Coordinates of all heavy atoms in Angstrom, one line a residue:
K1 N 0.8 -1.2 -0.1 CA 0.0 0.0 0.0 C 1.0 1.3 0.0 O 1.8 1.4 0.7 CB -0.8 0.1 1.2 CG -2.2 0.6 1.1 CD -3.1 0.4 2.4 CE -4.4 0.9 2.0 NZ -5.2 0.9 3.1
C2 N 0.5 2.2 -0.8 CA 1.3 3.6 -1.0 C 0.5 4.6 -0.2 O -0.7 4.6 -0.2 CB 1.4 4.0 -2.4 SG 2.5 2.7 -3.3
A3 N 1.4 5.5 0.5 CA 0.9 6.5 1.2 C 1.4 7.8 0.7 O 2.7 7.8 0.5 CB 1.0 6.4 2.7
Q4 N 0.6 8.8 0.5 CA 1.2 10.2 0.1 C 1.9 10.8 1.2 O 1.4 10.8 2.4 CB 0.1 11.1 -0.3 CG 0.7 12.5 -0.7 CD -0.5 13.4 -1.1 OE1 -1.4 12.9 -1.8 NE2 -0.4 14.8 -0.9
L5 N 3.2 11.2 1.0 CA 4.0 11.8 2.0 C 3.8 13.3 2.2 O 3.7 13.8 3.2 CB 5.5 11.5 1.8 CG 5.9 10.0 1.9 CD1 7.4 9.8 1.7 CD2 5.6 9.5 3.3
R6 N 3.7 14.0 1.0 CA 3.5 15.5 0.9 C 3.2 15.8 -0.4 O 3.5 15.2 -1.4 CB 4.8 16.2 1.5 CG 6.1 16.0 0.6 CD 7.2 16.8 1.3 NE 7.4 16.5 2.7 CZ 7.9 15.5 3.2 NH1 8.5 14.6 2.4 NH2 8.1 15.3 4.5
T7 N 2.7 17.1 -0.6 CA 2.5 17.7 -1.9 C 3.6 18.8 -2.0 O 3.7 19.7 -1.1 CB 1.0 18.2 -2.0 OG1 0.1 17.1 -1.8 CG2 0.8 18.8 -3.3
L8 N 4.3 18.9 -3.2 CA 5.2 19.8 -3.5 C 4.4 20.9 -4.3 O 4.0 20.8 -5.4 CB 6.3 19.4 -4.3 CG 7.1 18.1 -3.6 CD1 8.1 17.5 -4.5 CD2 7.7 18.5 -2.3
E9 N 4.4 22.0 -3.6 CA 3.5 23.2 -4.4 C 4.5 24.4 -4.7 O 5.4 24.6 -4.0 CB 2.5 23.8 -3.4 CG 1.4 22.7 -3.1 CD 0.4 23.3 -2.3 OE1 0.2 24.5 -2.1 OE2 -0.5 22.5 -1.8
G10 N 4.5 24.8 -6.0 CA 5.1 25.9 -6.4 C 5.1 26.1 -8.0 O 5.1 27.1 -8.5
H11 N 4.9 25.0 -8.8 CA 4.8 25.2 -10.2 C 3.4 25.7 -10.4 O 2.5 25.5 -9.7 CB 4.9 23.8 -10.9 CG 6.2 23.2 -11.0 ND1 7.1 23.8 -11.8 CD2 6.8 22.2 -10.4 CE1 8.3 23.2 -11.8 NE2 8.1 22.1 -10.9
S12 N 3.2 26.5 -11.6 CA 2.1 27.2 -11.8 C 1.3 26.4 -12.9 O 0.2 26.8 -13.5 CB 2.2 28.6 -12.3 OG 3.1 28.7 -13.5
D13 N 1.8 25.3 -13.4 CA 1.1 24.4 -14.4 C 1.4 22.9 -14.1 O 2.1 22.6 -13.1 CB 1.6 24.9 -15.8 CG 0.4 24.6 -16.8 OD1 -0.5 23.8 -16.6 OD2 0.4 25.3 -17.8
Y14 N 1.0 22.0 -15.0 CA 1.2 20.7 -14.8 C 2.6 20.2 -14.6 O 3.4 20.8 -15.4 CB 0.7 19.8 -15.9 CG -0.8 20.0 -16.2 CD1 -1.3 20.7 -17.3 CD2 -1.8 19.4 -15.3 CE1 -2.7 20.9 -17.6 CE2 -3.1 19.5 -15.6 CZ -3.6 20.3 -16.6 OH -4.8 20.3 -17.1
V15 N 2.9 19.3 -13.6 CA 4.2 18.7 -13.6 C 4.3 17.5 -14.6 O 3.5 16.6 -14.6 CB 4.5 18.3 -12.1 CG1 5.8 17.5 -12.2 CG2 4.7 19.5 -11.3
E16 N 5.3 17.5 -15.4 CA 5.5 16.5 -16.6 C 6.6 15.6 -16.2 O 6.5 14.3 -16.7 CB 5.8 17.2 -17.9 CG 6.1 16.2 -19.1 CD 4.9 15.5 -19.5 OE1 3.7 15.8 -19.1 OE2 5.0 14.5 -20.3
A17 N 7.5 15.9 -15.5 CA 8.8 15.1 -15.3 C 9.2 15.1 -13.8 O 9.2 16.2 -13.2 CB 9.9 15.5 -16.2
V18 N 9.6 14.0 -13.4 CA 10.3 13.8 -11.9 C 11.5 13.1 -12.0 O 11.5 12.0 -12.7 CB 9.2 13.3 -11.1 CG1 9.7 13.3 -9.6 CG2 7.9 14.2 -11.0
C19 N 12.4 13.4 -11.2 CA 13.6 12.7 -11.0 C 14.1 12.8 -9.6 O 14.1 13.9 -9.0 CB 14.7 13.2 -12.0 SG 16.3 12.4 -11.8
V20 N 14.6 11.7 -9.1 CA 15.3 11.8 -7.7 C 16.7 11.7 -7.9 O 17.4 11.0 -8.7 CB 14.9 10.5 -6.8 CG1 15.5 10.5 -5.6 CG2 13.4 10.5 -6.7
S21 N 17.3 12.7 -7.2 CA 18.9 12.7 -7.2 C 19.5 11.4 -6.8 O 19.1 10.7 -6.0 CB 19.3 13.9 -6.4 OG 19.3 13.7 -5.0
P22 N 20.8 11.2 -7.3 CA 21.4 10.0 -7.1 C 21.6 9.7 -5.4 O 21.7 8.5 -5.0 CB 22.8 10.0 -7.8 CG 22.5 11.0 -8.8 CD 21.5 11.9 -8.3
D23 N 21.8 10.8 -4.7 CA 22.0 10.6 -3.3 C 20.6 10.4 -2.5 O 20.8 10.4 -1.3 CB 22.8 11.8 -2.7 CG 22.1 13.1 -2.9 OD1 21.0 13.2 -3.2 OD2 22.7 14.2 -2.4
G24 N 19.7 10.5 -3.2 CA 18.2 10.4 -2.7 C 17.8 11.6 -1.8 O 16.8 11.5 -1.1
K25 N 18.4 12.7 -1.9 CA 18.2 13.8 -1.0 C 17.2 14.9 -1.6 O 16.7 15.7 -1.0 CB 19.5 14.5 -0.5 CG 20.2 13.5 0.4 CD 21.5 14.3 1.0 CE 22.3 13.5 1.8 NZ 23.6 14.0 2.5
H26 N 17.2 14.9 -2.9 CA 16.4 15.8 -3.6 C 15.5 15.2 -4.7 O 15.8 14.2 -5.3 CB 17.3 16.8 -4.4 CG 18.2 17.7 -3.3 ND1 19.3 17.2 -2.9 CD2 17.9 18.9 -2.7 CE1 19.9 18.2 -2.1 NE2 19.0 19.1 -1.9
I27 N 14.5 16.0 -5.2 CA 13.6 15.7 -6.2 C 13.8 16.9 -7.2 O 13.8 18.0 -6.8 CB 12.2 15.6 -5.8 CG1 12.0 14.3 -4.9 CG2 11.2 15.4 -6.9 CD1 10.6 14.3 -4.2
V28 N 13.8 16.6 -8.5 CA 13.7 17.6 -9.5 C 12.5 17.5 -10.3 O 12.1 16.3 -10.7 CB 15.0 17.6 -10.4 CG1 15.0 18.6 -11.6 CG2 16.3 17.7 -9.7
T29 N 11.7 18.5 -10.5 CA 10.5 18.4 -11.3 C 10.5 19.3 -12.5 O 11.2 20.4 -12.4 CB 9.3 18.7 -10.4 OG1 9.5 20.0 -9.9 CG2 9.0 17.8 -9.4
G30 N 9.9 18.9 -13.6 CA 9.9 19.8 -14.8 C 8.3 20.0 -15.1 O 7.4 19.0 -15.0
S31 N 8.1 21.1 -15.6 CA 6.6 21.6 -15.7 C 6.3 22.2 -16.9 O 7.1 22.6 -17.7 CB 6.3 22.4 -14.5 OG 5.0 23.1 -14.6
F32 N 5.0 22.2 -17.2 CA 4.4 23.0 -18.4 C 4.6 24.5 -18.1 O 4.3 25.4 -19.2 CB 2.9 22.7 -18.5 CG 2.6 21.5 -19.4 CD1 2.9 20.2 -18.9 CD2 2.2 21.5 -20.7 CE1 2.7 19.1 -19.7 CE2 1.9 20.6 -21.5 CZ 2.2 19.2 -21.0
D33 N 5.1 24.9 -16.9 CA 5.3 26.3 -16.7 C 6.6 26.9 -17.3 O 7.1 27.8 -17.0 CB 5.0 26.7 -15.2 CG 6.1 26.0 -14.3 OD1 7.1 25.5 -14.7 OD2 5.9 26.2 -13.1
C34 N 7.3 25.9 -17.9 CA 8.6 26.2 -18.5 C 9.8 26.2 -17.6 O 10.8 26.7 -17.9 CB 8.6 27.5 -19.4 SG 7.3 27.6 -20.6
T35 N 9.6 25.7 -16.3 CA 10.6 25.7 -15.3 C 10.8 24.3 -14.9 O 10.1 23.3 -15.0 CB 10.2 26.6 -14.1 OG1 9.3 25.9 -13.4 CG2 9.9 28.0 -14.6
A36 N 12.0 24.1 -14.2 CA 12.4 22.8 -13.5 C 12.6 23.4 -12.1 O 13.2 24.5 -11.9 CB 13.5 22.1 -14.1
R37 N 12.3 22.5 -11.1 CA 12.5 23.0 -9.7 C 13.2 21.8 -8.8 O 13.0 20.7 -9.2 CB 11.1 23.3 -9.1 CG 10.6 24.6 -9.5 CD 9.2 24.9 -8.9 NE 8.7 26.1 -9.3 CZ 8.5 27.2 -8.5 NH1 8.9 27.1 -7.4 NH2 8.0 28.3 -9.1
V38 N 14.1 22.2 -8.0 CA 14.6 21.3 -7.0 C 14.0 21.4 -5.7 O 13.8 22.6 -5.3 CB 16.2 21.6 -6.8 CG1 16.7 20.6 -5.8 CG2 16.8 21.5 -8.3
W39 N 13.8 20.2 -5.1 CA 13.0 20.1 -3.7 C 13.8 19.2 -2.9 O 14.4 18.3 -3.3 CB 11.6 19.6 -3.9 CG 10.8 20.2 -4.9 CD1 10.9 19.8 -6.4 CD2 9.8 21.2 -4.8 NE1 9.9 20.5 -7.0 CE2 9.3 21.4 -6.2 CE3 9.4 22.1 -3.8 CZ2 8.3 22.3 -6.6 CZ3 8.4 22.9 -4.1 CH2 7.9 23.0 -5.5
R40 N 13.9 19.5 -1.5 CA 14.4 18.5 -0.6 C 13.4 17.5 -0.3 O 12.3 17.7 0.0 CB 14.8 19.4 0.7 CG 16.0 20.1 0.7 CD 16.7 20.5 2.0 NE 15.6 21.0 3.0 CZ 15.6 22.1 3.6 NH1 16.7 23.0 3.4 NH2 14.6 22.5 4.4
L41 N 13.9 16.3 -0.4 CA 13.0 15.1 -0.3 C 12.5 15.0 1.2 O 11.4 14.6 1.4 CB 13.7 13.9 -0.8 CG 12.8 12.7 -0.8 CD1 11.6 12.7 -1.7 CD2 13.6 11.4 -1.3
D42 N 13.4 15.2 2.2 CA 13.0 14.9 3.5 C 11.9 15.9 4.1 O 11.0 15.4 4.7 CB 14.1 14.9 4.5 CG 14.8 16.4 4.5 OD1 14.6 17.2 3.7 OD2 15.7 16.5 5.3
D43 N 11.8 17.1 3.6 CA 10.8 18.1 4.2 C 10.1 18.7 3.1 O 9.1 19.5 3.4 CB 11.5 19.1 5.2 CG 12.5 20.0 4.5 OD1 12.7 19.9 3.3 OD2 13.2 20.7 5.1
G44 N 10.4 18.5 1.8 CA 9.6 19.2 0.7 C 9.8 20.7 0.4 O 9.2 21.4 -0.4
V45 N 10.9 21.2 1.0 CA 11.3 22.7 0.8 C 11.7 22.8 -0.6 O 12.7 22.0 -1.0 CB 12.3 23.1 1.9 CG1 12.8 24.5 1.6 CG2 11.7 23.0 3.3
H46 N 11.3 23.9 -1.2 CA 11.9 24.3 -2.5 C 13.2 24.9 -2.4 O 13.4 25.7 -1.6 CB 10.8 25.4 -3.2 CG 11.3 26.0 -4.4 ND1 11.8 27.2 -4.5 CD2 11.5 25.4 -5.6 CE1 12.0 27.5 -5.7 NE2 12.0 26.4 -6.3
V47 N 14.1 24.3 -3.2 CA 15.5 24.8 -3.1 C 16.0 25.8 -4.2 O 16.5 26.9 -3.9 CB 16.5 23.6 -3.2 CG1 18.0 24.0 -3.1 CG2 16.2 22.5 -2.1
R48 N 15.5 25.6 -5.4 CA 15.8 26.4 -6.4 C 15.0 26.2 -7.6 O 14.5 25.1 -7.9 CB 17.3 26.5 -6.9 CG 17.8 25.4 -7.6 CD 19.3 25.3 -7.9 NE 20.0 25.7 -6.7 CZ 20.3 24.9 -5.8 NH1 20.1 23.6 -5.9 NH2 21.1 25.1 -4.7
T49 N 14.9 27.2 -8.6 CA 14.1 27.2 -9.9 C 15.2 27.3 -11.0 O 15.9 28.3 -11.1 CB 13.0 28.0 -9.9 OG1 12.1 27.9 -8.8 CG2 12.2 28.0 -11.1
F50 N 15.1 26.5 -12.1 CA 15.8 26.6 -13.2 C 14.9 27.2 -14.3 O 13.8 26.7 -14.6 CB 16.3 25.3 -13.7 CG 17.2 24.6 -12.8 CD1 16.6 23.4 -12.1 CD2 18.5 25.0 -12.6 CE1 17.5 22.7 -11.2 CE2 19.3 24.3 -11.7 CZ 18.8 23.1 -10.9
E51 N 15.2 28.5 -14.7 CA 14.5 29.2 -15.7 C 15.2 29.4 -17.0 O 16.4 29.9 -16.8 CB 13.9 30.5 -15.1 CG 13.0 30.3 -13.8 CD 12.5 31.7 -13.3 OE1 13.3 32.3 -12.7 OE2 11.4 32.0 -13.6
G52 N 14.6 29.4 -18.1 CA 15.2 29.7 -19.4 C 14.5 29.0 -20.5 O 14.7 29.5 -21.7
H53 N 13.8 27.9 -20.3 CA 13.1 27.2 -21.4 C 12.0 28.2 -21.8 O 11.5 28.9 -21.0 CB 12.7 26.0 -21.0 CG 13.8 24.9 -20.9 ND1 14.3 24.5 -22.1 CD2 14.3 24.1 -20.0 CE1 15.3 23.5 -21.8 NE2 15.2 23.4 -20.5
T54 N 11.6 28.1 -23.1 CA 10.5 29.0 -23.7 C 9.3 28.0 -24.0 O 8.3 28.5 -24.5 CB 11.0 29.7 -25.0 OG1 11.4 28.7 -26.0 CG2 12.1 30.6 -24.6
D55 N 9.4 26.8 -23.6 CA 8.2 25.9 -23.7 C 8.3 25.0 -22.6 O 9.3 24.8 -21.9 CB 8.2 25.2 -25.1 CG 6.9 24.9 -25.6 OD1 5.9 24.7 -24.7 OD2 6.6 24.8 -26.8
W56 N 7.4 24.0 -22.4 CA 7.3 23.1 -21.2 C 8.5 22.2 -21.2 O 9.1 21.8 -22.2 CB 6.0 22.4 -21.3 CG 5.7 21.5 -22.4 CD1 5.3 21.9 -23.7 CD2 5.8 20.2 -22.5 NE1 5.2 20.9 -24.6 CE2 5.4 19.6 -23.8 CE3 6.2 19.0 -21.6 CZ2 5.4 18.3 -24.2 CZ3 6.2 17.8 -22.0 CH2 5.8 17.4 -23.2
V57 N 8.7 21.9 -20.0 CA 9.9 21.1 -19.6 C 9.4 19.5 -19.5 O 8.6 19.3 -18.7 CB 10.6 21.4 -18.3 CG1 11.9 20.4 -18.0 CG2 11.3 22.8 -18.4
K58 N 9.9 18.7 -20.4 CA 9.4 17.5 -20.5 C 10.3 16.4 -20.0 O 9.7 15.2 -19.8 CB 8.9 17.1 -22.1 CG 10.1 17.2 -23.1 CD 9.6 16.9 -24.4 CE 10.7 17.1 -25.5 NZ 10.1 17.0 -26.8
S59 N 11.4 16.7 -19.6 CA 12.4 15.7 -19.1 C 13.3 16.4 -18.2 O 13.8 17.5 -18.4 CB 13.0 14.9 -20.2 OG 13.9 13.9 -19.7
V60 N 13.7 15.7 -16.9 CA 14.6 16.1 -16.1 C 15.5 15.0 -15.7 O 15.0 13.9 -15.6 CB 14.0 16.9 -14.8 CG1 13.3 18.1 -15.2 CG2 13.0 16.0 -14.0
C61 N 16.8 15.3 -15.4 CA 17.6 14.2 -15.0 C 18.8 14.9 -14.1 O 19.2 16.0 -14.5 CB 18.3 13.5 -16.2 SG 19.4 12.1 -15.8
V62 N 19.2 14.1 -13.2 CA 20.4 14.6 -12.3 C 21.6 13.7 -12.7 O 21.4 12.5 -12.8 CB 20.2 14.5 -10.8 CG1 21.4 15.0 -10.1 CG2 18.9 15.3 -10.5
T63 N 22.7 14.3 -13.0 CA 23.8 13.5 -13.6 C 24.3 12.5 -12.3 O 24.0 12.8 -11.3 CB 25.0 14.3 -13.9 OG1 25.4 15.2 -12.9 CG2 24.6 15.0 -15.2
A64 N 24.9 11.4 -12.7 CA 25.4 10.4 -11.7 C 26.2 10.9 -10.6 O 26.1 10.4 -9.4 CB 26.0 9.2 -12.3
D65 N 27.0 12.0 -10.9 CA 27.9 12.6 -9.9 C 27.2 13.6 -9.0 O 27.7 14.1 -8.1 CB 29.1 13.1 -10.5 CG 28.8 14.2 -11.4 OD1 27.7 14.8 -11.6 OD2 29.9 14.7 -12.2
G66 N 25.8 13.8 -9.4 CA 25.0 14.9 -8.8 C 25.5 16.3 -8.9 O 25.0 17.2 -8.3
K67 N 26.3 16.5 -9.9 CA 26.7 18.0 -10.1 C 26.0 18.8 -11.0 O 26.0 20.0 -11.0 CB 28.3 18.0 -10.6 CG 29.3 17.5 -9.5 CD 30.6 17.5 -10.2 CE 31.6 17.0 -9.1 NZ 33.1 17.1 -9.6
H68 N 25.1 18.1 -12.1 CA 24.4 18.9 -12.9 C 23.0 18.3 -13.0 O 22.7 17.2 -12.6 CB 25.1 18.8 -14.3 CG 26.4 19.5 -14.3 ND1 27.6 18.8 -14.1 CD2 26.8 20.7 -14.5 CE1 28.6 19.5 -14.2 NE2 28.2 20.8 -14.4
V69 N 22.1 19.2 -13.4 CA 20.7 18.8 -13.8 C 20.6 19.1 -15.4 O 21.0 20.1 -15.9 CB 19.6 19.7 -13.0 CG1 18.3 19.3 -13.6 CG2 19.8 19.4 -11.6
V70 N 20.0 18.2 -16.0 CA 19.8 18.3 -17.5 C 18.3 18.3 -17.7 O 17.6 17.5 -17.0 CB 20.4 17.1 -18.2 CG1 20.2 17.2 -19.7 CG2 21.9 17.0 -17.9
T71 N 17.8 19.4 -18.4 CA 16.4 19.4 -18.7 C 16.2 19.5 -20.3 O 17.0 20.0 -21.1 CB 15.9 20.8 -18.1 OG1 16.7 21.9 -18.7 CG2 15.9 20.8 -16.6
A72 N 15.2 18.9 -20.6 CA 14.7 18.9 -22.1 C 13.4 19.5 -22.2 O 12.5 19.2 -21.4 CB 14.7 17.5 -22.7
S73 N 13.2 20.4 -23.2 CA 11.9 21.0 -23.4 C 11.4 20.9 -24.7 O 12.1 20.5 -25.7 CB 12.3 22.6 -23.2 OG 11.2 23.3 -23.3
D74 N 10.0 21.2 -24.8 CA 9.4 21.2 -26.1 C 9.9 22.4 -26.9 O 9.4 22.6 -28.1 CB 7.9 21.3 -25.9 CG 7.2 20.6 -27.0 OD1 7.7 19.5 -27.5 OD2 6.1 21.0 -27.4
D75 N 10.7 23.3 -26.5 CA 11.3 24.3 -27.3 C 12.5 23.8 -28.0 O 13.2 24.6 -28.6 CB 11.7 25.6 -26.3 CG 12.8 25.2 -25.4 OD1 13.4 24.2 -25.4 OD2 13.2 26.1 -24.5
N76 N 12.6 22.6 -28.0 CA 13.7 21.9 -28.8 C 15.1 22.1 -28.3 O 16.1 22.1 -29.1 CB 13.6 22.2 -30.4 CG 12.3 21.8 -31.0 OD1 11.9 20.6 -30.7 ND2 11.7 22.7 -31.8
T77 N 15.3 22.4 -27.0 CA 16.6 22.5 -26.5 C 16.7 21.5 -25.2 O 15.7 21.1 -24.7 CB 16.8 24.0 -26.0 OG1 16.0 24.2 -24.8 CG2 16.7 25.0 -27.0
A78 N 17.9 21.2 -25.1 CA 18.4 20.5 -23.8 C 19.4 21.6 -23.0 O 20.1 22.1 -23.6 CB 19.0 19.2 -24.0
R79 N 19.1 21.7 -21.9 CA 19.9 22.6 -21.0 C 20.6 22.0 -19.9 O 20.0 20.9 -19.2 CB 19.1 23.8 -20.6 CG 18.6 24.7 -21.6 CD 17.7 25.9 -21.0 NE 17.2 26.6 -22.1 CZ 17.6 27.9 -22.4 NH1 18.6 28.4 -21.7 NH2 17.1 28.6 -23.3
V80 N 21.8 22.3 -19.6 CA 22.7 21.8 -18.5 C 22.8 22.9 -17.4 O 23.1 24.1 -17.9 CB 24.0 21.2 -18.9 CG1 24.8 20.8 -17.7 CG2 23.9 20.3 -20.0
W81 N 22.5 22.5 -16.2 CA 22.6 23.5 -15.0 C 23.5 22.9 -14.0 O 23.5 21.7 -13.8 CB 21.2 23.7 -14.4 CG 20.1 23.8 -15.5 CD1 19.4 22.9 -16.1 CD2 19.5 25.1 -16.0 NE1 18.4 23.3 -16.9 CE2 18.5 24.7 -16.8 CE3 19.7 26.3 -15.6 CZ2 17.7 25.7 -17.5 CZ3 19.0 27.4 -16.2 CH2 18.0 27.1 -17.2
N82 N 24.1 23.9 -13.2 CA 24.8 23.5 -12.1 C 23.7 23.2 -10.9 O 22.9 23.9 -10.7 CB 25.7 24.5 -11.6 CG 27.0 24.7 -12.3 OD1 27.4 23.7 -12.8 ND2 27.6 25.8 -12.3
F83 N 24.0 21.9 -10.4 CA 23.0 21.5 -9.4 C 23.1 22.4 -8.1 O 22.1 22.9 -7.5 CB 23.3 20.1 -8.9 CG 22.1 19.6 -7.9 CD1 21.0 19.0 -8.4 CD2 22.3 19.7 -6.7 CE1 20.1 18.5 -7.4 CE2 21.4 19.2 -5.7 CZ 20.3 18.7 -6.1
D84 N 24.2 22.7 -7.6 CA 24.5 23.4 -6.4 C 24.0 24.9 -6.4 O 23.6 25.4 -5.4 CB 26.0 23.4 -5.9 CG 26.3 22.1 -5.5 OD1 25.5 21.3 -5.0 OD2 27.5 21.8 -5.5
D85 N 24.2 25.6 -7.5 CA 23.8 27.0 -7.6 C 22.8 27.5 -8.6 O 22.3 28.6 -8.7 CB 25.1 27.9 -7.6 CG 25.8 27.7 -9.0 OD1 25.2 27.2 -9.9 OD2 26.9 28.4 -9.1
G86 N 22.3 26.5 -9.3 CA 21.4 26.7 -10.5 C 21.9 27.5 -11.6 O 21.0 27.8 -12.6
A87 N 23.2 27.7 -11.8 CA 23.7 28.5 -13.0 C 23.5 27.6 -14.3 O 23.7 26.5 -14.2 CB 25.1 28.8 -12.8
H88 N 23.2 28.2 -15.3 CA 23.1 27.7 -16.5 C 24.3 27.4 -17.2 O 25.2 28.3 -17.2 CB 22.3 28.7 -17.6 CG 22.2 28.1 -18.9 ND1 22.8 28.7 -19.9 CD2 21.4 27.0 -19.5 CE1 22.5 28.0 -21.1 NE2 21.8 27.0 -20.7
V89 N 24.7 26.3 -17.6 CA 25.9 25.8 -18.1 C 26.1 25.8 -19.5 O 26.9 26.5 -20.2 CB 26.4 24.4 -17.5 CG1 27.8 24.0 -18.1 CG2 26.5 24.3 -16.0
R90 N 25.1 25.3 -20.3 CA 25.1 25.3 -21.8 C 23.7 24.9 -22.3 O 22.8 24.3 -21.4 CB 26.1 24.3 -22.3 CG 25.8 22.8 -22.2 CD 26.9 22.0 -22.7 NE 28.3 22.3 -22.2 CZ 28.8 21.6 -21.2 NH1 28.1 20.7 -20.5 NH2 29.9 22.0 -20.8
T91 N 23.5 25.2 -23.4 CA 22.3 24.7 -24.1 C 22.6 24.0 -25.4 O 23.5 24.4 -26.2 CB 21.4 26.1 -24.6 OG1 21.0 26.7 -23.4 CG2 20.1 25.6 -25.4
R92 N 21.9 23.0 -25.6 CA 22.1 22.1 -26.8 C 20.9 22.3 -27.7 O 19.6 22.0 -27.3 CB 22.3 20.7 -26.6 CG 22.5 19.7 -27.6 CD 23.8 19.7 -28.2 NE 23.9 18.7 -29.1 CZ 24.9 18.7 -30.1 NH1 25.8 19.6 -30.2 NH2 24.9 17.7 -30.9
L93 N 21.0 22.6 -28.9 CA 19.8 22.8 -29.8 C 19.6 21.5 -30.5 O 20.4 20.8 -30.8 CB 20.2 23.9 -30.9 CG 20.4 25.4 -30.3 CD1 20.8 26.2 -31.5 CD2 19.3 25.9 -29.6
S94 N 18.3 21.3 -30.9 CA 17.9 20.1 -31.7 C 18.3 20.4 -33.0 O 18.8 21.4 -33.5 CB 16.4 20.0 -31.7 OG 15.8 21.1 -32.5
R95 N 18.4 19.1 -33.8 CA 18.8 19.3 -35.3 C 18.0 20.4 -36.0 O 18.5 21.0 -36.9 CB 18.8 17.9 -35.9 CG 19.7 16.9 -35.3 CD 19.7 15.6 -36.1 NE 20.5 14.6 -35.6 CZ 21.7 14.4 -36.0 NH1 22.3 15.3 -36.9 NH2 22.5 13.5 -35.3
A96 N 16.8 20.4 -35.7 CA 16.0 21.3 -36.5 C 16.4 22.8 -36.3 O 16.1 23.6 -37.2 CB 14.4 21.1 -36.0
Q97 N 16.9 23.1 -35.2 CA 17.3 24.5 -34.9 C 18.8 24.8 -35.3 O 19.1 25.9 -35.3 CB 17.1 24.8 -33.4 CG 15.8 24.7 -33.0 CD 15.7 25.2 -31.6 OE1 16.3 24.6 -30.7 NE2 14.8 26.2 -31.2
R98 N 19.6 23.8 -35.6 CA 21.0 24.1 -36.0 C 21.1 24.7 -37.4 O 20.3 24.3 -38.3 CB 21.7 22.8 -36.0 CG 22.0 22.3 -34.6 CD 22.9 21.1 -34.6 NE 22.6 20.3 -33.5 CZ 22.8 18.9 -33.4 NH1 23.4 18.4 -34.3 NH2 22.6 18.3 -32.3
P99 N 22.0 25.6 -37.6 CA 22.2 26.3 -38.9 C 22.7 25.3 -40.0 O 23.2 24.2 -39.7 CB 23.3 27.2 -38.7 CG 23.8 27.1 -37.3 CD 22.9 26.0 -36.6

């Protein structure tokens, strides 16, 4: 039997993607509000928001070393962010957007 532990509130639209960090301490969510958010798993506190996509975030992943978050969006980009401070590291364009 499953029991709900808590509800994470903060996104302004549907949540499409969820990932647990490799150390099990954080959850990363991606939303139709064009953002990804990091939450502490133990108490549900919002840690940071990754902003920069221009369409909904459909996939989120934390790298195995826990240093980066990778987000993919319907804006045809994948973005890499620093997990610790939320800084944007790089953007990868889809083939359709490349010159």
Side-chain angles (χ1 to χ4, degrees):
K1 207 172 189 183
C2 293
Q4 178 178 326
L5 298 177
R6 69 185 40 85
T7 300
L8 305 174
E9 295 184 9
H11 284 293
S12 62
D13 209 334
Y14 299 109
V15 171
E16 175 68 15
V18 178
C19 176
V20 177
S21 63
D23 64 7
K25 294 181 180 180
H26 295 89
I27 297 172
V28 181
T29 55
S31 172
F32 273 74
D33 67 8
C34 305
T35 70
R37 292 176 177 250
V38 178
W39 315 82
R40 286 196 315 237
L41 186 57
D42 63 349
D43 60 7
V45 169
H46 173 248
V47 177
R48 76 184 44 82
T49 302
F50 301 109
E51 297 180 284
H53 285 293
T54 59
D55 210 335
W56 61 282
V57 177
K58 58 185 177 180
S59 180
V60 294
C61 180
V62 180
T63 57
D65 62 9
K67 293 182 179 180
H68 296 96
V69 173
V70 181
T71 57
S73 170
D74 213 42
D75 66 7
N76 295 317
T77 66
R79 293 177 181 254
V80 180
W81 315 83
N82 282 332
F83 186 88
D84 288 337
D85 64 7
H88 177 250
V89 176
R90 73 180 56 89
T91 299
R92 177 80 174 162
L93 301 175
S94 74
R95 291 185 186 271
Q97 290 183 308
R98 291 186 206 157

